[in-house]
Amino acid sequence: MAGDGVDIDLYDNLEEGFDQENEFNADDDLYNDVITAPSSGDNAEVKQEPDTPTKTTPSVTVPSGYTGRRISLYVGNLTWWTTDQDLIDSLAAIGVTDLVEIKFYENRANGQSKGFAVVVVGSDNSSRLIFEKLPKKEIHGQVPQISNCNRQALSQFEAQARKGEPPAQNGNTNKGHQRSHSPSRTQQKQPFVNRQQQRPSGPTVSGPPPTGPPPTGAPIMPGMPPVSGPPPQVQFPPGFPPRTLGPPPAVMMRGPPPPIRGPPPADPRGPPPRPEWDRPPGPAPYPPLGPPPGPQPVPPPGARPPGPGMPHQQPPISIPPPGHPPAPAPHVNPAFFPPQHGGPPPTMPHAAPGHHDPYRAPPPVSYPSDHYARPPTERPEPQSPALSEQEFEEIFQRNKTVSSSAISRAVQDASAGEFASAIETLVTAISLIKQSKIASDDRCKILISSLQDTLHGIEEKSYGSKSSSRRSRSRERDRERKERSRSHRSRSRDREREYRERSRERDRHYEAESSSSSSRSHRDRDRERDRDREREYSSRRH
Amino acid sequence: MTTHGRTSGWPKGTNPVSYAAKYGITNPSPTLDRPINLYPLTNYTFGTKEPLYEKDSSVPARFQRMRDEFEKIGMRRSVEGVLIVHEHGLPHVLLLQLGTTFFKLPGGELNSGEDQVEGLKRLLTETLGRQDGGTMEWVVEDTIGNWWRPNFEPPQYPYIPAHITKPKEHKRLFLVQLPEKALFAVPRNYKLVAAPLFELYDNSAGYGPIISSLPQALSRGQCPSIQCWQMTSGH
């Protein structure tokens, strides 16, 4: 097939058991011309692939290189074996024709789907169709939950996924619980619909609780299985609750059992990893929730075991938009979130000081409260001891960006001959990543090592000698020392600059020396003085 | 001694000592397990040749090219060769080292429509082939693993996750039986290292999941299949 420009060798990998190697946008040319945005029109033409024999579903996707609108939604509550093709088929069945992309969230450790995905479509109409119609379709026996793409929804889904993880206590039962809980949880929420609806205005209220989980993975697991369910529903931004009601009714049946299970699991987990998250389960009208205290912080979403209202316990963070009525307040124990809430709504003012807690609490709590006090920047760097998956991912994404941009900048500089700045860039990136909370993660270690490799490569190039590694080490040491004392740094930097002007070899030598002992600075100064003196002598002589 | 019916690799004129006994195999059955013959690292000579740079200059570029090619030709098919030698009776895997911390197996991407084994031989010759144009004898007979990349992202798994219908890359690992003696030319930008299995075992932090699971993958064929030949003369 090498000769064919645009044909895909669909049978290329038959021996590997794949029917076809279609990208989403295969076979969609006929439809694309009709439905896709004008900008993708030429792409449709370019991809004049013959219809594959296996094409049975109507085309729902747009060709690659799509440059039209991108409307993203989260589709969750999927089984881990729900495939992208299943989603495509479901979307086709409800009439969505401009699917751009589907990307599943997966456990990095083993690739398993977390049960939710980002679906990108090209029009508001499709988005509306998805919101309205997809929850009416079951995929592998589960009803998809749809939400807009925002942090709270993400954290809610993450929490839901985590619930399925075998925690120490429940193990597989959680998974089962999760599945059954989801529906039941929603159901539980139902009675509290009122409560929830109070919140609709304050998405943040529900938001924070759901986001709880991120901060601590541990807490969530223990008690959260039951709670995760409800929160998701609660959290969705205004307008969402109505939708959630849809699915919940269906699952009502399963409701009872799960709620009961909720509290118990929570209990064991009592000891909240994060004290600040201890939402007094007791105080709330949901005594059963008592146990949650521990888990609550984290599982905010999940934290609402049987007590539907509980979720809002997280008020501290959730102090969602001012509009929120006191609903969350009752559950929230101000003591736990001292800086934060004065009450549910008042969180606004607390936002500033309170942002600390939110961090401890589910950092992601990004409900609409984004504009409330919760500085987005801080969220990324929660001070919570444990890192939720989302935080982790955020930090890791940042580290990845840092590392790749540092490498590309450094390579650019190096090719332009500016080795010093390239090396500086890389060293800064390395230290940034090392300082991050997840520096011990394998992935970060790989980032760090690739940065170090680039660093060595550039140093080798600049120094052109085999002892670059030694030099780089001394250079790093040099830098560390410099950071320690500003004056020393400025002095040695000046000295470095002078040295560099004179000769590279000598510079390196001096740097190595100065890095090995700060007392050498005297020697350097002496040397400089001597040189000056020499210059004087020489000038006098002439 | 097992009769393996292979013309190459048979130690000629020497008194080979087989480590089969160490593995408890006194009468290995050639019909059950095709023996894999390993020769001492010292049997091989490694020269250098001009650098062989990667196609992608950065990680983002790599994934961008992967995306573009996926659009055009579908799933990327990669093949990698596991070349094994032995030292002191312990198999060692030959790895290419880039920089100080990054290791990879020789191999690469197949062209669209290319046969896997032929493609692997082509790639091995490109990477390690002699510069004087002498033919390399690559004997590729066993697959020892398959890995799939579900998204345009680094993670790869030895299975296709249930929710993925279109993996973006499929990598197949082949066991490459080396001739008894050979000359390799290593591109200057790489170092060729022989990593003992214990170094790789359980060391996915250092080598990644694929390379660090090679000991397990190879154990399937070991004992009695692996025969470590040693030249007694001169050793």
Side-chain angles (χ1 to χ4, degrees):
Chain A
M1 318 309 144
D4 298 333
V6 288
D7 283 353
I8 285 183
D9 182 12
L10 298 167
Y11 300 103
D12 200 10
N13 301 302
L14 266 188
E15 70 269 24
E16 285 130 20
F18 304 128
D19 290 337
Q20 67 188 57
E21 283 308 315
N22 277 356
E23 174 60 353
F24 284 134
N25 46 26
D27 311 322
D28 295 332
D29 304 319
L30 296 177
Y31 289 81
N32 288 338
D33 289 340
V34 175
I35 55 173
T36 58
S39 58
S40 55
D42 11 321
N43 293 336
E45 269 125 43
V46 168
K47 298 192 66 61
Q48 291 299 330
E49 303 146 14
D51 279 351
T52 68
T54 56
K55 175 182 173 183
T56 49
T57 63
S59 3
V60 292
T61 57
V62 302
S64 61
Y66 177 76
T67 49
R69 292 191 64 201
R70 295 178 65 98
I71 312 224
S72 304
L73 309 170
Y74 286 144
V75 178
N77 196 35
L78 306 170
T79 64
W80 55 265
W81 58 90
T82 299
T83 69
D84 46 1
Q85 193 59 48
D86 290 336
L87 280 182
I88 293 177
D89 296 341
S90 299
L91 291 174
I94 63 177
V96 172
T97 48
D98 54 356
L99 172 68
V100 176
E101 188 186 354
I102 294 180
K103 167 77 177 74
F104 277 85
Y105 279 80
E106 300 159 2
N107 287 322
R108 196 185 202 283
N110 57 17
Q112 184 195 25
S113 160
K114 283 185 176 171
F116 65 102
V118 178
V119 173
V120 183
V121 291
S123 65
D124 289 323
N125 188 44
S126 296
S127 163
R128 184 181 52 78
L129 277 175
I130 294 177
F131 267 103
E132 290 173 3
K133 298 204 180 156
L134 200 58
K136 303 210 169 71
K137 297 184 74 52
E138 271 197 0
I139 305 182
H140 292 296
Q142 290 195 185
V143 174
Q145 288 175 17
I146 323 291
S147 85
N148 288 316
C149 283
N150 52 39
R151 278 165 176 265
Q152 73 198 58
L154 178 64
S155 56
Q156 175 190 327
F157 282 128
E158 293 277 0
Q160 203 175 351
R162 230 167 313 172
K163 251 188 310 189
E165 287 170 22
Q169 289 95 7
N170 293 352
N172 292 337
T173 54
N174 280 351
K175 271 210 158 86
H177 284 239
Q178 182 186 0
R179 300 250 170 70
S180 60
H181 280 194
S182 300
S184 60
R185 259 173 270 140
T186 54
Q187 178 215 353
Q188 288 163 358
K189 294 287 168 201
Q190 293 225 321
F192 301 92
V193 162
N194 293 338
R195 246 179 234 276
Q196 297 170 4
Q197 275 159 1
Q198 291 164 356
R199 294 187 230 242
S201 51
T204 55
V205 174
S206 47
T211 53
T216 52
I220 302 183
M221 301 235 276
M224 295 306 117
V227 282
S228 320
Q233 269 119 27
V234 180
Q235 285 138 20
F236 284 110
F240 195 79
R243 288 204 200 94
T244 55
L245 292 188
V251 286
M252 286 241 219
M253 297 193 249
R254 303 183 233 162
I260 295 175
R261 266 183 296 233
D267 282 283
R269 318 256 172 64
R274 275 151 8 151
E276 46 262 14
W277 284 103
D278 261 6
R279 300 218 177 131
Y286 313 92
L289 295 176
Q296 298 211 335
V298 173
R304 311 180 224 151
M310 294 312 276
H312 309 289
Q313 287 188 351
Q314 318 186 353
I317 311 180
S318 48
I319 310 253
H324 248 291
H331 313 281
V332 180
N333 185 346
F336 287 97
F337 303 93
Q340 269 182 295
H341 21 264
T347 30
M348 266 263 287
H350 299 279
H355 66 257
H356 249 304
D357 285 31
Y359 294 22
R360 250 90 48 108
V365 187
S366 47
Y367 322 103
S369 55
D370 269 351
H371 45 288
Y372 293 111
R374 203 182 305 258
T377 53
E378 298 193 10
R379 209 171 318 135
E381 324 215 6
Q383 319 189 343
S384 54
L387 274 180
S388 74
E389 178 127 20
Q390 175 160 353
E391 290 172 23
F392 183 95
E393 285 302 321
E394 284 176 29
I395 298 179
F396 179 66
Q397 289 305 322
R398 228 175 320 121
N399 286 348
K400 222 171 27 165
T401 314
V402 162
S403 127
S404 54
S405 61
I407 289 181
S408 47
R409 203 170 342 134
V411 165
Q412 262 181 349
D413 287 346
S415 47
E418 309 200 340
F419 297 112
S421 72
I423 291 170
E424 290 261 4
T425 308
L426 290 170
V427 169
T428 309
I430 292 174
S431 60
L432 269 176
I433 297 182
K434 281 190 177 163
Q435 285 163 19
S436 78
K437 284 182 166 302
I438 57 175
S440 55
D441 176 69
D442 283 350
R443 284 182 280 169
C444 281
K445 285 196 192 145
I446 292 177
L447 288 180
I448 292 176
S449 64
S450 58
L451 280 167
Q452 283 170 341
D453 284 344
T454 319
L455 182 60
H456 294 150
I458 292 183
E459 286 180 340
E460 267 175 19
K461 250 193 264 182
S462 72
Y463 294 140
S465 89
K466 297 134 219 154
S467 53
S468 62
S469 60
R470 192 184 3 112
R471 220 166 271 115
S472 68
R473 254 181 275 126
S474 71
R475 194 176 260 279
E476 284 181 13
R477 250 180 285 132
D478 193 22
R479 286 215 174 73
E480 285 168 28
R481 265 189 222 101
K482 285 183 195 162
E483 284 161 5
R484 271 182 235 138
S485 93
R486 266 229 182 122
S487 58
H488 179 197
R489 196 201 311 157
S490 63
R491 254 182 285 125
S492 44
R493 279 245 173 88
D494 292 339
R495 237 173 275 121
E496 277 182 36
R497 272 187 229 113
E498 291 179 15
Y499 295 159
R500 280 203 196 95
E501 289 165 9
R502 308 229 180 89
S503 95
R504 259 238 161 106
E505 289 287 333
R506 243 191 318 144
D507 294 347
R508 262 177 273 134
H509 181 57
Y510 289 151
E511 283 171 16
E513 283 194 7
S514 63
S515 70
S516 53
S517 112
S518 53
S519 64
R520 297 262 171 87
S521 62
H522 303 301
R523 218 173 298 161
D524 293 341
R525 256 183 272 127
D526 290 344
R527 241 180 265 119
E528 194 183 324
R529 262 183 254 123
D530 290 344
R531 249 178 268 115
D532 289 346
R533 257 179 252 122
E534 285 175 18
R535 266 187 253 119
E536 280 184 18
Y537 296 148
S538 61
S539 66
R540 256 193 254 130
R541 257 181 249 126
H542 305 301
Chain B
M1 298 303 163
T2 50
T3 55
H4 45 68
R6 188 172 294 113
T7 53
S8 72
W10 185 261
K12 295 182 172 59
T14 59
N15 212 354
V17 170
S18 167
Y19 282 88
K22 177 167 144 190
Y23 286 105
I25 314 308
T26 46
N27 278 325
S29 159
T31 55
L32 288 182
D33 309 273
R34 185 164 11 123
I36 302 166
N37 292 295
L38 307 187
Y39 301 97
L41 180 58
T42 50
N43 276 27
Y44 304 100
T45 329
F46 301 98
T48 59
K49 62 185 183 187
E50 69 274 1
L52 180 68
Y53 293 110
E54 303 224 324
K55 282 192 199 171
D56 309 294
S57 53
S58 70
V59 171
R62 186 162 148 243
F63 287 114
Q64 188 52 49
R65 181 170 68 89
M66 201 183 290
R67 278 182 192 269
D68 298 338
E69 290 181 354
F70 189 82
E71 301 292 334
K72 298 198 216 69
I73 58 179
M75 181 180 71
R76 174 178 290 184
R77 300 181 304 142
S78 303
V79 285
E80 292 189 343
V82 180
L83 283 62
I84 320 184
V85 300
H86 89 86
E87 276 206 309
H88 320 301
L90 182 73
H92 287 51
V93 178
L94 295 186
L95 300 175
L96 294 167
Q97 184 177 11
L98 262 176
T100 54
T101 53
F102 183 65
F103 296 87
K104 57 179 244 188
L105 290 165
E109 302 158 33
L110 295 179
N111 299 324
S112 81
E114 188 175 18
D115 171 66
Q116 288 182 333
V117 173
E118 293 308 313
L120 177 61
K121 293 183 180 176
R122 167 184 67 83
L123 289 160
L124 288 173
T125 306
E126 275 178 22
T127 313
L128 295 173
R130 302 152 58 134
Q131 268 194 302
D132 58 1
T135 49
M136 305 289 298
E137 309 166 33
W138 305 113
V139 177
V140 180
E141 286 171 339
D142 299 285
T143 300
I144 55 177
N146 288 282
W147 291 75
W148 286 271
R149 186 190 302 274
N151 303 304
F152 296 113
E153 287 168 8
Q156 297 176 80
Y157 306 98
Y159 44 80
I160 305 178
H163 65 286
I164 297 288
T165 54
K166 304 178 188 75
K168 308 302 183 278
E169 180 178 357
H170 173 216
K171 184 179 290 188
R172 192 167 226 162
L173 271 55
F174 291 92
L175 179 62
V176 179
Q177 308 228 23
L178 296 174
E180 183 194 347
K181 290 185 191 289
L183 164 68
F184 300 113
V186 183
R188 236 176 280 282
N189 55 323
Y190 289 109
K191 289 190 277 273
L192 188 69
V193 301
L197 292 187
F198 60 75
E199 163 73 11
L200 306 179
Y201 179 66
D202 208 20
N203 194 356
S204 101
Y207 297 94
I210 301 181
I211 294 177
S212 65
S213 62
L214 284 177
Q216 289 93 316
L218 293 168
S219 75
R220 199 183 57 84
Q222 246 186 27
C223 287
S225 291
I226 290 204
Q227 301 278 314
C228 294
W229 299 103
Q230 178 167 13
M231 301 307 156
T232 53
S233 58
H235 270 317

